[in-house]
Amino acid sequence: MSAIWWVTTIGFVLCLGLVAGTLFHFLNKALHSDDAARIDELKSEQKPD
């Protein structure tokens, strides 16, 4: 009976890890975008026309 609880606990931890990893991946991809620097360049970083 004890083995089923270990299997359940390990499976639950793995599922939580997959969900957290997926969430972290997409949040990291969204928040570390280069779009802000590309779209709103600082005047000192702008290329001369």
Side-chain angles (χ1 to χ4, degrees):
M1 186 72 177
S2 176
I4 190 73
W5 289 109
W6 280 110
V7 171
T8 303
T9 302
I10 291 170
F12 182 68
V13 169
L14 286 174
C15 286
L16 283 178
L18 286 173
V19 170
T22 302
L23 182 66
F24 181 75
H25 170 74
F26 286 110
L27 280 176
N28 194 21
K29 188 175 180 182
L31 293 176
H32 290 274
S33 178
D34 292 330
D35 289 343
R38 184 174 50 86
I39 293 171
D40 298 325
E41 292 181 358
L42 296 174
K43 291 186 189 255
S44 62
E45 296 177 353
Q46 288 179 347
K47 298 175 185 168
D49 292 332

